[in-house]
Each structure stands twice: as structure tokens, then as C-alpha cells.
Amino acid sequence: MPDMTLYRGERDNVWPAPAVRLIWGGMTIRDPWPGARLPNQTATGAWSALSRAISTGGGDLAAFSRTLRATGVPYSLNFTRTPAPVDPGCEHHYVVTIHHARTFLLRYGGVGGWTLGDEVPWVTDPTLADQDYVVLNGPNVSRSTVLGYGHFADTPEVTLFTDVPTTWVTSVNGQPIGAHGVRVLTDSALSDDERLRLTKLRRP
């Protein structure tokens, strides 16, 4: 299966610097859905929450997509699928790779909510997409450790509802993660005030 590359810029006044951001195993989400937390994140619990969220919004996928993009909901992280011009308002620019990615259509299953539809070949070329879609790294929800919502309208983007492991972070500001690039701190290096302020991003 091919890999999917994603891009994201973050601001210092919203998110901690990469050396701190990645302490707890990756790019963590402030208020993740059930089961979406590192170190054992899975798509299963988040899928149920996603189905409910779409249905609560009236089942209009276009409207749901606009909500995810416009409001920056606390249970997800937004990424672009193509390298965007460097935003001078963002100090840190992440490149993330989802290995063995797979894309699927969404299908309404009636009383049971939303289910996966047909698999579609949109992993490497987002311009092929003609409707919104789901991103997994397994053949189905129960065998995936990532859950993403792909937006086909306007700029191709993917909203991830599961924490992003550090091993998926290819680079930050063009540098790799590790001794020859971005050195990640440890939780013990933070002050008590910092730990308190970052409580929602911390993981066991």
C-alpha cells in the first residue's frame, strides 16, 4: 500500500514548540475522541464518534467538512495534502507520513449510522477525489491506527481524529526528529506549571 504525505503549520501562541510538542509520543490532540489517544490509538472508538458527529449535523458531508475546516475543533488536527506556501504566522512546519494509507468512501447505513463504502485510489493523488472520503492505514476501521476525514473541495486537506505518533513525523522545519535535527525533551524537563498548562496534550 502507498504512503500518504501530509503538511501542517503550527503557531507558538497555540501549540508548544516541537521539542515539547512531541514529548508524549507524537502530535497529540487536545480533546481526542474515545480510543484515539497514544500510545494505543485505534480508529474504532473515533469512528463511532465520527458517525455521530456527521449525523448530528444532519448528515450533510459538505457542511460537516466546512465545520472541521473553519472552527478548528479540539478533537482533531487539520493537515493539507500538498505543500502549502509557508505561512509566516506559523513558526513550525510539520511533514507527516501515514504508511500503508488507504482511502474509502463514506456510505450512510441508515439506523446504524455511517459505514465505509468502496475503497478508492486517492492516497497519492488528492486531485482524483470527487467527494469527501475516509483515511485509514488498514483494510477496515477495526484494524487501523489512524482515522482521517479527507476533504476534496477547495484545497485538498485531511482532518485526523487520532494522535499522530512521532515515528510518522518526517520532519519539522525541514529537520528530522532526533540527534541530528529536532531533539525532543522529556516530561521531567518541564516545570510543574508547564505540565499543568499542557495537561490536555500529555499522555501516559
Side-chain angles (χ1 to χ4, degrees), residues 104-164:
F104 298 84
L105 298 179
L106 280 152
R107 183 170 62 84
Y108 182 60
V111 177
W114 293 82
T115 63
L116 284 185
D118 294 335
E119 186 167 6
V120 286
W122 299 343
V123 171
T124 57
D125 187 356
T127 64
L128 298 176
D130 59 7
Q131 57 188 291
D132 290 352
Y133 54 95
V134 171
V135 177
L136 303 176
N137 62 354
N140 51 52
V141 171
S142 65
R143 293 176 60 184
S144 180
T145 59
V146 64
L147 176 62
Y149 187 95
H151 310 269
F152 90 96
D154 302 317
T155 303
E157 296 181 2
V158 167
T159 298
L160 295 184
F161 304 107
T162 43
D163 285 343
V164 179

Side-chain angles (χ1 to χ4, degrees), residues 10 16 18 29-30 36 123 136:
E10 292 191 346
I29 298 170
R30 283 199 169 91
V123 171
L136 303 176

Side-chain angles (χ1 to χ4, degrees), residues 38-172:
L38 284 167
N40 301 307
Q41 83 282 10
T42 66
T44 306
W47 175 264
S48 298
L50 173 61
S51 178
R52 287 194 300 272
I54 296 173
S55 297
T56 299
D60 185 332
L61 295 181
F64 181 68
S65 174
R66 288 193 295 271
T67 297
L68 290 177
R69 290 172 137 179
T71 61
V73 293
Y75 51 77
S76 66
L77 297 173
N78 287 336
F79 295 79
T80 61
R81 289 206 55 187
T82 55
V86 174
D87 182 351
C90 294
E91 290 79 12
H92 309 293
H93 302 273
Y94 292 79
V95 179
V96 167
T97 301
I98 299 177
H99 299 289
H100 312 297
R102 304 174 76 155
T103 49
F104 298 84
L105 298 179
L106 280 152
R107 183 170 62 84
Y108 182 60
V111 177
W114 293 82
T115 63
L116 284 185
D118 294 335
E119 186 167 6
V120 286
W122 299 343
V123 171
T124 57
D125 187 356
T127 64
L128 298 176
D130 59 7
Q131 57 188 291
D132 290 352
Y133 54 95
V134 171
V135 177
L136 303 176
N137 62 354
N140 51 52
V141 171
S142 65
R143 293 176 60 184
S144 180
T145 59
V146 64
L147 176 62
Y149 187 95
H151 310 269
F152 90 96
D154 302 317
T155 303
E157 296 181 2
V158 167
T159 298
L160 295 184
F161 304 107
T162 43
D163 285 343
V164 179
T166 301
T167 52
W168 296 4
V169 180
T170 306
S171 67
V172 183

